[in-house]
Amino acid sequence: MGHLEVENGRRIYFEHHAGARQPVVLVHGWGVTARSWDTVAPVLRADGHEVVLLDLRACGRSDKDFADVSIAAMGADVARLCEHLGLQRPVVNGWSLGGAVAVDAVARLGSAAGGLVLTGGATPRYTSASDWPHGGTPDDVEAVLAGAASDRATTFKGVAQAVCAVPVSSDLVDWMWGMFLEMGPRGDDSIRDLASLDQRKTIGTLEVPVLILHGRNDGFVAFSGAEAAVGLYPDARLVPFDASGHAPHLEERDAYLAELRTFLSSTGDQTG
């Protein structure tokens, strides 16, 4: 584990687990932390992959008082961390808001990236537009943030309860809830930025293979948006998870891991 200074003395937290196989960078969703990958990261590490996790700005063990918490700033952090660690053609896997961060990071890395995975990724748009009839509105986002402003604990408990479409234990919900409560108030502006972000032009420039893993019952990032987006990438494949909501890596873990492992084996991973 360590910290990387990225803005005026402010630092992000990261973990760098050694491995001989292709590096994988895991980028968490809004409000949670690197621990949200704890059902995935140990498997990849056991498979021999070099695994990197981080806490985004204002989340978890990263500093909370960043001036800039935009998707672009966090994407730059991920790209900078990859360069700092000397990762060779990493695959960047982003969940939810982390999907938009991952897109930004891979675009910055260019030919130095090995691939992109979107796990319920909130990209290319999180909200709807006149030519994008998928998702909610910025007003919906503001309503959630208004609830958090008046009662942060209860609001984020409700968000945690809504993540999964399949029945899950109260322990799993409380685990996610606890991560949400580690986010500092500046983290609210990250999802405000996401609500106005449009990455359609960016995804059309990505010259890496892309795997989209998305729950059909996702209540946060519309599955129809993932279907509409897949054709905008130069090289992408969409895998639907019929039982899942917003977290297929938690809800249909075995099937999720099978798809992820197959993708990693097809993106230049040299296993010997």
Side-chain angles (χ1 to χ4, degrees):
M1 63 178 246
H3 288 85
L4 180 68
E5 183 178 330
V6 292
E7 180 195 281
N8 299 327
R10 304 301 190 270
R11 306 182 304 163
I12 59 166
Y13 168 89
F14 71 90
E15 299 172 16
H16 183 202
H17 302 277
R21 295 178 65 184
Q22 185 174 39
V24 183
V25 181
L26 300 172
V27 185
H28 66 77
W30 179 62
V32 292
T33 77
R35 296 279 68 80
S36 62
W37 292 110
D38 278 357
T39 61
V40 175
V43 174
L44 298 180
R45 193 188 64 80
D47 285 348
H49 288 284
E50 185 177 7
V51 178
V52 175
L53 305 105
L54 70 151
D55 287 348
L56 296 173
R57 297 184 179 205
C59 294
R61 290 144 291 188
S62 291
D63 289 337
K64 303 298 193 293
D65 54 346
F66 279 95
D68 186 352
V69 292
S70 65
I71 302 302
M74 294 189 291
D77 290 347
V78 174
R80 182 174 179 178
L81 181 60
C82 290
E83 293 164 356
H84 171 74
L85 297 174
L87 304 184
Q88 299 297 307
R89 294 185 57 76
V91 170
V92 185
N93 183 350
W95 175 34
S96 190
L97 174 145
V101 174
V103 165
D104 187 277
V106 168
R108 293 174 187 272
L109 290 168
S111 61
L116 170 67
V117 180
L118 299 170
T119 301
T123 183
R125 287 191 62 94
Y126 181 55
T127 56
S128 60
S130 59
D131 59 348
W132 187 260
H134 314 285
T137 69
D139 286 345
D140 296 332
V141 172
E142 290 300 332
V144 172
L145 295 178
S150 62
D151 186 347
R152 206 160 180 86
T154 301
T155 297
F156 284 132
K157 183 65 170 287
V159 173
Q161 290 171 329
V163 168
C164 297
V166 303
V168 296
S169 69
S170 59
D171 290 337
L172 190 148
V173 172
D174 288 346
W175 172 65
M176 287 192 287
W177 182 37
M179 286 187 274
F180 276 113
L181 295 180
E182 292 185 54
M183 180 176 64
R186 287 291 287 129
D188 294 10
D189 288 329
S190 293
I191 200 165
R192 282 194 174 99
D193 184 58
L194 181 69
S196 63
L197 185 68
D198 192 325
Q199 294 181 315
R200 281 179 284 182
K201 290 183 179 178
T202 301
I203 66 176
T205 69
L206 300 181
E207 297 182 357
V208 296
V210 178
L211 178 65
I212 303 170
L213 305 171
H214 210 107
R216 287 192 185 274
N217 303 303
D218 193 326
F220 291 87
V221 181
F223 180 76
S224 62
E227 289 183 303
V230 67
L232 302 179
Y233 297 89
D235 178 11
R237 184 169 68 94
L238 169 63
V239 178
F241 287 80
D242 292 342
S244 290
H246 194 43
H249 62 298
L250 300 176
E251 299 172 84
E252 295 181 77
R253 176 176 174 265
D254 290 347
Y256 176 90
L257 287 172
E259 293 290 347
L260 181 58
R261 283 165 152 163
T262 297
F263 180 76
L264 293 174
S265 295
S266 70
T267 54
D269 180 27
Q270 300 299 317
T271 60

